Amino acid sequence: MVFKLVIIAMIMQGSLLGQKSKVVLPNTLFTKYADSLTHGFSVNKNYYVVEWKSVIPANLNIVRSIDEKIAILEIVNEAAYNMLNQQSLVNAANNQWKLSAPAEKLIAEKSSTTKDFILTARDSMALSRVLKKLPNTINVKQVNLLSHSAIVSCKNSVAIAFLLPLDEIIFLDLRIKATAETGIIGYDRSFHGISLLDHTIPLANGKNIVVGIKEQNIQPADLDVYKRILPSPIADPDIANHATVVASIVGGAGNSFYDGRGIANGSRFFPSSFDNLFPDETAVLLANKVSVQNHSYGTVIQQFYGAEAMAYDAQLYANKHLLHVFSAGNQGTAAATEGRYANLPGYANLTGNFKMAKNVITVGAIDNKENIAPESSAGPLYDGRIAPQLIALGPYGTSDAAAVVTGTIAVMQQVYADSNGGVLPPASLTKAILYNTAEDVYSPGIDYKTGYGLLNSYNAVRSIQQKNFMGGAINHGQQWTSNITVPANTAQLRITLSWTDTAATLNNNKALVNDLDLDVTDITTGNNYKPWVLNTAAHIDSLSKEPTRKRDSLNTSEQVSISLPAAGSYEVKVAGTAISNASLPFHIAFSTDTLNTFRFTNPVHASDVNRAENELLTIRWKTFVADSNETGQLSISYDGGNNWILLDAAILLYQNKFAWQIKDTTSQAFLKMETAFGIFYSLPFVISKVTRINIDYNCADSFRLSWNKHIYASSYKVFALTDSPYLKNIYTVSDTFTLLKRSVYPGKVYAVQPVLTNGIGATRSLALDIDLQGVKCFYNTIYYNLQEKNIIDIIVELSIAAEVDSIYFEKVSKNGQLLKTYAGVKANNLQSIYHQLADNTETGVTYIRARIKLKNGSNVYTETMEVLTTGKRFLLFYPNPVNKGGKLQYVLQQGLSFGSRLQLFDISGRLLKNYGDMPNDIDISNFAAGVLIYKLLSEDNLVLETGKLVIK
């Protein structure tokens, strides 16, 4: 953009205007970016490096801010140059300032290899001009108009010689390919209040929300995403288990089992490929109604504001209801190699430039014991901003943690839309609520490992339902105020401000453009509270310090919290400190927690206790006490409260959890917590083995299911996956088995859920595809073992013996005609495996099957086996005759030693080949067509057998 002469007027307002002489030594960065061959103004130079004595004056049209005093400006006339030169150091810039740190390193290596580069122009028109003048040696692979960027492929030398000097180009970066970041989590729905959310707000499930899954493609046949994946023109061609698991965590239907049930299980999915690291086209996302997109992938540790970060910020600023959620990365033990926070292990190691965007959410990982996963990448971002903003369950990485947050956002969007005429919440509101309801973990207050804290899905959704938020819009220099009443006996007041900011200039030293400031005042006392701010100094001890209260000039979210606030009215003020646009929208979330309250949050449902899955159950509750030493007495009852067994006599209440070894029992139970401020009880829950279904038989016209009896069940619901994406209850039975006709129930996937005597459903069984369980019509399998002298041991394994009268073993022709019945055996209800020996086998293939006679008189036939033997002979070649270009194989009589030897002769008796032992295969390519004589010799050189084979 042309540098306006109005800069002269702005600079004249600066305090340095009157300085006629000055002595200013150039900064090393100034020297780095100054063109040593050009002095003064040059008509051949558009970009100049400028160093001010203090901070950079406001409202300048800066191409890139290097730090607080140095910037790159475009200067197109000598008058502007001279005016700047009176009060600052000015020099024509070389092209080094255009490079990202990775590109700078690559160019320093002077490599001549072909690489993918991201080049960014001043604007879209400039980008268009660049693309038109590119030579054939540069291949354009992608264009991103949001950031005025293109991805091109060329040799390193071409990038230096041709691309870097172009006036239209203001940024050159090295493109890095994305990879998925983690394996699968250990599932635990007690985290984040998910079980409580399911139980108390069952319709909050993300219905009508479309979630983008940007990585590789999702497996469409997976039971938990079945029929909910939208067709996508930008999906990755490769299907990956990682993408399928991420989608299941976000919104799995729970068809396979309860641990396949995601948070937003009513949502749908729109897949797109992470081969494109820029945002997907806005028009495509909006056309498919994507309102939140999950990104569980990364590249390498990057610490700068590049074209990808800028593009995401630009997209979200223009579409304020859209949200992107990124995994922070799995490089938590590593250190950045560039930027302000280089060489600080454990900090500033988020993986990917796109995660430097300020309008996205990045998520770190916590394990099942609430320890920060060492691999979880931490902040700060390149300019000192907080990252990750949230932490969530992901003991092996951050991919699954991001998915948990994405699923929670989908539910929040649905709940808000349901009460606001279908309108989605602004992203700034969603973020304010998420950060305000997060639980403080790791260290007191915000920090660079966990951001605003551990995600609480239940509290976030409840905050929307209770409308614990407000918002407005503000201009530069204006103030917005509102009052909040804090009741007596409040444990904590928390207030969070959030807004969506416009994109910053590329490779800038600071991403924030529009700066709002939050403070809270106790109207009664006049006490003023600033937001919590972290130390940004580039030292590990500084980055690990607890936050202090002061003005935040970096982040697009700010939080004030007050412990044990006095009752009364509090004024919440938002100041428009620096706003470049006419009006900037913002949102505020607030909450008050009440002292001496208590509620069990897990277990709350019959499916929360599964000893087979994990013998340890984390009992969770939520309470607020003023004294961290305050204790409670936790007990459990297995007989309706008549008798109580002590679990812990003095448990610290503020810990909000207790690891309990689940008793090996089948019973109904509930918990009791005795505190100084009251006695509290959990909802009843059931401890029992999970129901397992069996496929008794699977015939062409019908099949039968059975399952173990549940001690507390009065009936059982039978579920089937039919025309819906979700299992449906097709009917209810009181028995522990059911027979289904295929003409009525053509589906293949079934499950069973016990219904307890109190009407509550217990844990539902795994869902099974009846055609994939190896069960056939009244039998599982028929197979054989070949014994010495080619005696065949025929084995049939029944799937259910109770309805079988007898089993007959038959020899048949290739076409199935009965040739011989070997024998029959009476079935025994307690026996499922039956044997029959068959001797006198013929040379070649023998066809064998079993006939299962049922008690109702009907017959069921197994599949037919082909058994190849030598019969009475010792050796059988096949095929015989054999084509000269074909493969000759053989079989020996069972029990014959493999130490036997083989000799081949021609028809005249001349020895052609003498094998020291029996070969794996016989190469006949060197033998002429005709008849060969073979001789089989024993280990002690006796002739066992002679015969002929024919080569055609």
Side-chain angles (χ1 to χ4, degrees), residues 470-492:
M470 49 191 170
I474 196 170
N475 295 324
H476 178 73
Q478 288 184 334
Q479 290 186 351
W480 175 95
T481 61
S482 183
N483 289 353
I484 292 176
T485 300
V486 175
N489 207 35
T490 295
Q492 179 179 247

Side-chain angles (χ1 to χ4, degrees), residues 669-694:
F670 63 102
L671 301 162
K672 176 176 67 173
M673 181 70 82
E674 298 175 77
T675 73
F677 49 88
I679 300 175
F680 304 92
Y681 299 92
S682 75
L683 293 170
F685 55 92
V686 174
I687 306 169
S688 68
K689 292 182 179 179
V690 175
T691 299
R692 308 287 182 185
I693 61 173
N694 302 306

Side-chain angles (χ1 to χ4, degrees), residues 833-849:
I833 297 177
Y834 297 85
H835 293 256
Q836 174 63 44
L837 297 178
D839 55 10
N840 296 319
T841 54
E842 297 176 356
T843 301
V845 177
T846 301
Y847 299 93
I848 297 173
R849 72 184 181 194

